[in-house]
């Protein structure tokens, strides 16, 4: 399928997209010190189960602390 690297809206790149994925599985989450029951993990996968929203946010924040690195972003993100 390819990618959209050369598909520009303006003469210079105006957008940057980077996606981080984590498997919502007990084993994957436990690697980050996140230990949940099988039922909790099952509920995380249910997109309409709003009760999990805060825990899903916690999962995202916890994993971001170790996987998102400054070098993942182009120099145009530097505000200094």
């Amino acid at each position: 399928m390819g990618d959209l690297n050369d598909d520009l809206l303006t003469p210079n790149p105006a957008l940057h997209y980077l996606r981080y994925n984590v498997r919502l599985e007990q084993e994957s989450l436990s690697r980050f010190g996140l230990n949940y029951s099988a039922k909790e993990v099952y509920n995380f996968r249910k997109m309409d189960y709003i009760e999990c929203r805060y825990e899903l946010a916690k999962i995202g924040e916890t994993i971001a602390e170790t996987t998102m690195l400054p070098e993942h972003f182009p120099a145009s993100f530097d505000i200094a």
Side-chain angles (χ1 to χ4, degrees):
M1 179 182 283
D3 59 45
L4 299 174
N5 272 341
D6 297 319
D7 189 14
L8 302 176
L9 299 172
T10 62
N12 295 314
L15 303 170
H16 182 78
Y17 178 80
L18 184 59
R19 181 178 176 139
Y20 298 87
N21 291 327
V22 64
R23 291 190 169 281
L24 292 176
E25 299 172 353
Q26 283 181 296
E27 184 179 332
S28 297
L29 295 171
S30 69
R31 289 186 201 127
F32 295 94
L34 300 166
N35 299 303
Y36 297 101
S37 70
K39 181 174 177 142
E40 288 172 308
V41 172
Y42 172 78
N43 286 333
F44 293 157
R45 294 180 186 161
K46 293 167 49 179
M47 297 302 290
D48 63 342
Y49 196 71
I50 194 167
E51 290 83 357
C52 293
R53 67 190 181 279
Y54 296 115
E55 205 60 34
L56 287 168
K58 175 185 167 188
I59 290 169
E61 291 167 3
T62 300
I63 294 172
E65 289 175 3
T66 58
T67 58
M68 285 182 60
L69 302 173
E71 56 266 22
H72 293 170
F73 298 91
S76 60
F77 277 67
D78 295 340
I79 58 173

